[in-house]
Amino acid sequence: MVARRFQVIHDDSDFDLHYDTDDGFEVFQFQLYSLSSVPPHQQKIFGAEQDTPVVNDSDLVAISDKLRLVSVNDSEPEPSAADLLKSDEELARLLQAEEEALMLQQYVASQNPQEFDSRVRPYVSQVLMYEDATRQEAARKSVPVEELEEKALVSLAKEGNFKPSKIEQDHAFLLQLLFWFKRSFRWVNSPSCHDCGNDTVGQGMAPPLPSETLYGASRVELYRCTVCSQLTRFPRYNDPMKLVETREGRCGEWANCFTLYCRAFGYESRLILDFTDHVWTECFSQYLGRWMHLDPCEGIYDKPLLYEKGWGKKLNYVIAIAKDGVYDVTKRYTRKWHEVLSRRTILTEPSLSTLLSNITKESRRGFASQLLSIIESHDMEENKELERSLHAEDDKSLSLPGRRSGNEEWRKSRLEMGSDKLSSSACPVRLCVDEHVTRIYNAFQPILYQFVGEELTKSEAVEVLRTTKGILLDLSKSPYKTRRTSIDSVLENPKFQKLFPSFDDLLCALFLGKKLNTDGRVEICLVGDPVVTSLALPVALDALDDMIYNLNKCENYGKDMFLLPLLKLNRIHSGSAIASSEELPFGIITSAFDGTRMSKWEEPNGGRGCWVVYRTFDNKMFELAAYELMSANDAPERDPMDWYGLWN
């Protein structure tokens, strides 16, 4: 071990850093982050005198005492002449490859507009069904709208946005609609037997019945039960209204039905047809100011490179079909355009452009001139965006998964397994919106004091906590904008009635209060922002579960009630956190600090080691009495086996 003291210069500040060289370079970077707020992945460190880079394999015993820290984000150095030349050469190489692919296309393209038209034309009619008021109403009726609104507002609140704009709310609701659809729709590899519910095996195809063609089923798959030998029919319905009822299918049914849901809630939407056999949705996000990719089968959004980079697809044509026309959006989904061009062999690019333009003109026939002008302006903006995206720098920190929908054998046969990782990204610095967690934990102190003051037995104390949990569960199940529940039956218990005033701090932390109605009934109801209550209720319920568990295990009841783990006073809150990586969209780092088991930080590469750095609000100093790791709600085998902390 060698103890070192470094003087670190960053911008106009000097920092003293005391460091044990045995801790390694990564810990060194954490300490720099705690002093400078520059995250580890954005740090460039140099010896202040020789300007020598300090990197992972540098000898930390021998390096200079004076160091210079540069933030890659703030002070990205100008590219060198060699870098610029390399960049120009790469661009020239890509342009030449694109030119060669276009030239080759002149000779190999079959110039068969009928083939292309026959692939696209059925969808042009299909998307018009999404505009039907009856279908839209049927879709809306099947959605738990208030539940999704609540989840959307809570997701924004977790980012510190308690007063979102209409555009922000609409964007958040669309994402919750996607996640709800992913949970509520069922993927069908082979249907269960309609007679006994057991597994079936494919037996080929059958002609559709009149009741099936009524909802657009031109194909029907037959399956025989492995137990009772009865046949089960699986009609491939094309009418999204029928799919709202059946809620099952493969990617065609999923995207067809989900696009109807998007239109039913007023989002500009398109059905996306991938000629290599996949279908998904795009919606125009007013929040992002552009079209956004949404794949209902995977529950993934705004990751257009998912198929090329994650699944390993060899794309050729990706066509967007909407009520106002058809669009070639392939460039949004690739960073290998010159390779994609070599696989576009149905039509030459000019012929394709003409065909799509003609279909679009047909779709827009009868549109008012003012509307046409707006749509054409949007088309021009999108074309510019597609060209820019072709040469956009790829985010190397972004890891995209292979296909998850469908059984493994089927995915392997399609060569779409890709990586076994989930969607993950380098983790930015995130603010922890968790003051409510601290307030809830502190609110249990007067309750425990009252238990002792009233000389409750352990079993009586546990019963009171269980009763309290029951009240909060009732509140959590009631509509979030008007939460209320009667507690008259609870107050009939004299002990609870006497103890109830000690729960005032807990109710206050949850933005709840007691109300005496004119008829004499006592209710618990909202007294503040309902979103704060929605954010806080899961924390209180988990805290009550912990307290009941720890109270039951407490051997010195009364004496140990005001110690950890029963009482967790003065929890640090409102800091910022960064991690080695995080899984998107649910496994982000702030989930490690939100006080609930239902959310969790997940590190895709955690098996090889990972790290978290937490900075207190405004760099305040605290004397740390204890810390707690909470296991998430699933997969205990993924809990950390070992860890160490560095307090700075």
Side-chain angles (χ1 to χ4, degrees):
M1 181 191 83
V2 178
R4 296 290 309 272
R5 179 177 176 272
F6 295 103
Q7 180 187 1
V8 182
I9 302 165
H10 174 60
D11 292 339
D12 298 324
S13 303
D14 284 6
F15 305 103
D16 282 336
L17 189 153
H18 296 270
Y19 175 70
D20 179 349
T21 55
D22 283 352
D23 288 339
F25 185 69
E26 202 170 61
V27 172
F28 185 65
Q29 288 183 295
F30 298 159
Q31 288 185 264
L32 284 174
Y33 168 59
S34 69
L35 293 170
S36 66
S37 301
V38 179
H41 66 278
Q42 293 177 11
Q43 293 175 5
K44 282 198 173 180
I45 310 162
F46 302 91
E49 294 165 354
Q50 299 88 7
D51 220 25
T52 306
V54 179
V55 292
N56 192 39
D57 57 357
S58 296
D59 185 351
L60 297 177
V61 176
I63 62 173
S64 168
D65 290 338
K66 293 185 178 180
L67 301 174
R68 181 168 60 89
L69 173 65
V70 175
S71 168
V72 174
N73 257 16
D74 300 335
S75 308
E76 189 72 60
E78 291 293 322
S80 67
D83 289 336
L84 288 172
L85 179 61
K86 184 178 179 182
S87 177
D88 288 344
E89 288 175 348
E90 178 67 12
L91 180 59
R93 186 186 67 78
L94 291 173
L95 291 174
Q96 183 176 349
E98 182 179 327
E99 188 176 328
E100 290 171 355
L102 285 168
M103 189 176 299
L104 181 63
Q105 192 183 70
Q106 303 293 322
Y107 298 98
V108 300
S110 59
Q111 286 297 85
N112 187 349
Q114 291 77 22
E115 179 188 349
F116 200 99
D117 188 86
S118 67
R119 296 283 296 272
V120 173
R121 186 70 66 173
Y123 294 97
V124 175
S125 303
Q126 183 173 314
V127 298
L128 296 179
M129 288 192 282
Y130 307 149
E131 307 307 310
D132 177 62
T134 303
R135 288 181 173 89
Q136 289 189 4
E137 181 63 18
R140 282 192 295 270
K141 282 182 175 178
S142 69
V143 177
V145 175
E146 187 171 83
E147 177 189 327
L148 300 193
E149 283 179 352
E150 180 186 6
K151 288 183 175 181
L153 291 169
V154 167
S155 71
L156 292 166
K158 285 184 175 182
E159 298 172 1
N161 185 356
F162 287 89
K163 300 294 180 185
S165 65
K166 173 74 163 52
I167 286 176
E168 290 170 324
Q169 289 183 58
D170 287 346
H171 182 79
F173 182 87
L174 175 58
L175 301 186
Q176 293 303 324
L177 184 66
L178 172 71
F179 304 147
W180 167 81
F181 187 87
K182 169 68 175 168
R183 293 190 303 270
S184 63
F185 217 76
R186 188 175 71 88
W187 181 273
V188 176
N189 293 305
S190 56
S192 299
C193 175
H194 287 177
D195 287 291
C196 68
N198 283 294
D199 293 340
T200 62
V201 292
Q203 299 292 302
M205 308 295 289
L209 302 173
S211 60
E212 295 164 338
T213 56
L214 183 64
Y215 296 102
S218 59
R219 295 180 299 133
V220 176
E221 299 172 6
L222 283 182
Y223 292 85
R224 187 173 299 280
C225 181
T226 57
V227 176
C228 72
S229 298
Q230 292 296 312
L231 286 174
T232 291
R233 300 172 68 86
F234 178 43
R236 302 301 301 275
Y237 293 118
N238 279 324
D239 189 331
M241 188 166 178
K242 184 65 173 178
L243 297 175
V244 168
E245 175 193 328
T246 63
R247 293 180 181 239
E248 65 177 17
R250 302 192 190 111
C251 63
E253 288 91 347
W254 282 63
N256 185 6
C257 192
F258 180 67
T259 309
L260 169 65
Y261 276 109
C262 294
R263 286 298 300 132
F265 286 97
Y267 297 99
E268 284 187 72
S269 309
R270 299 164 162 176
L271 190 66
I272 307 300
L273 173 63
D274 160 25
F275 276 31
T276 62
D277 195 26
H278 192 43
V279 196
W280 61 88
T281 305
E282 280 185 356
C283 288
F284 190 84
S285 166
Q286 296 289 344
Y287 175 70
L288 298 174
R290 58 174 171 78
W291 288 95
M292 180 172 70
H293 150 258
L294 300 117
D295 190 321
C297 299
E298 307 298 297
I300 290 178
Y301 66 93
D302 206 22
K303 296 289 182 290
L305 297 183
L306 171 69
Y307 312 107
E308 182 177 83
K309 187 176 178 180
W311 295 16
K313 265 180 171 286
K314 306 296 183 185
L315 298 171
N316 49 24
Y317 299 98
V318 181
I319 307 298
I321 303 110
K323 63 178 180 177
D324 55 14
V326 292
Y327 309 84
D328 182 2
V329 294
T330 313
K331 291 178 180 178
R332 178 173 292 126
Y333 294 90
T334 182
R335 290 293 181 271
K336 301 175 182 178
W337 177 239
H338 61 291
E339 294 181 16
V340 170
L341 271 174
S342 70
R343 297 190 288 268
R344 287 161 72 98
T345 57
I346 301 177
L347 291 170
T348 62
E349 296 306 299
S351 298
L352 174 61
S353 180
T354 300
L355 176 63
L356 296 182
S357 178
N358 289 338
I359 299 175
T360 296
K361 285 176 183 175
E362 290 175 25
S363 301
R364 295 177 182 179
R365 192 177 294 135
F367 282 22
S369 58
Q370 187 176 4
L371 176 59
L372 276 174
S373 178
I374 293 170
I375 294 173
E376 287 166 3
S377 174
H378 289 171
D379 290 349
M380 290 176 62
E381 286 300 314
E382 183 178 19
N383 287 333
K384 291 177 185 175
E385 180 217 326
L386 291 174
E387 291 299 326
R388 285 195 302 269
S389 69
L390 269 186
H391 304 295
E393 188 173 339
D394 201 3
D395 182 358
K396 292 181 175 57
S397 71
L398 183 64
S399 171
L400 293 168
R403 187 168 192 160
R404 294 289 176 264
S405 53
N407 64 34
E408 185 173 332
E409 183 181 349
W410 181 75
R411 286 180 282 142
K412 281 181 176 177
S413 71
R414 295 165 59 93
L415 304 178
E416 292 175 350
M417 292 292 288
S419 166
D420 60 357
K421 294 179 181 177
L422 298 181
S423 181
S424 64
S425 174
C427 178
V429 176
R430 298 188 185 275
L431 297 179
C432 298
V433 181
D434 59 341
E435 183 179 358
H436 60 285
V437 182
T438 300
R439 292 186 65 199
I440 288 167
Y441 287 177
N442 287 347
F444 283 105
Q445 185 178 34
I447 296 171
L448 293 182
Y449 271 116
Q450 192 76 352
F451 286 174
V452 173
E454 295 297 323
E455 298 182 345
L456 264 67
T457 65
K458 185 198 288 191
S459 61
E460 288 174 329
V462 167
E463 185 57 36
V464 168
L465 293 177
R466 284 182 175 146
T467 301
T468 305
K469 181 186 172 184
I471 294 170
L472 296 188
L473 278 172
D474 288 343
L475 285 162
S476 70
K477 295 171 185 174
S478 62
Y480 83 99
K481 294 178 184 176
T482 56
R483 291 192 200 276
R484 62 179 61 244
T485 189
S486 172
I487 58 169
D488 284 341
S489 59
V490 173
L491 292 178
E492 290 174 3
N493 181 333
K495 265 193 168 47
F496 194 88
Q497 190 175 41
K498 196 169 185 179
L499 290 164
F500 198 55
S502 66
F503 285 82
D504 285 351
D505 286 355
L506 180 60
L507 294 177
C508 184
L510 297 171
F511 277 34
L512 298 169
K514 292 172 284 190
K515 180 183 178 183
L516 180 63
N517 292 324
T518 53
D519 59 2
R521 291 187 304 110
V522 181
E523 288 184 329
I524 302 293
C525 58
L526 285 171
V527 294
D529 186 344
V531 178
V532 176
T533 304
S534 296
L535 190 64
L537 269 173
V539 178
L541 287 166
D542 277 356
L544 279 164
D545 278 340
D546 278 351
M547 186 159 283
I548 291 167
Y549 174 79
N550 289 319
L551 202 55
N552 275 320
K553 286 184 64 179
C554 185
E555 293 181 0
N556 296 311
Y557 175 72
K559 181 181 177 183
D560 292 343
M561 286 182 65
F562 306 108
L563 303 174
L564 286 166
L566 265 170
L567 202 56
K568 305 167 186 176
L569 291 176
N570 304 319
R571 174 185 177 275
I572 297 172
H573 62 82
S574 304
S576 59
I578 188 172
S580 47
S581 185
E582 58 184 8
E583 284 188 3
L584 303 173
F586 300 116
I588 62 174
I589 183 55
T590 46
S591 299
F593 301 95
D594 63 4
T596 71
R597 290 195 190 90
M598 292 304 294
S599 63
K600 49 193 170 279
W601 168 54
E602 293 183 89
E603 223 290 12
N605 303 308
R608 297 197 296 268
C610 54
W611 51 262
V612 177
V613 178
Y614 182 92
R615 299 186 76 238
T616 58
F617 176 72
D618 208 20
N619 289 326
K620 288 182 179 177
M621 299 292 288
F622 295 92
E623 182 179 344
L624 190 66
Y627 67 93
E628 177 183 48
L629 296 180
M630 179 187 287
S631 177
N633 64 321
D634 65 350
E637 68 274 8
R638 293 193 297 173
D639 289 349
M641 295 179 67
D642 198 5
W643 63 89
Y644 69 92
L646 177 68
W647 320 109
N648 213 9

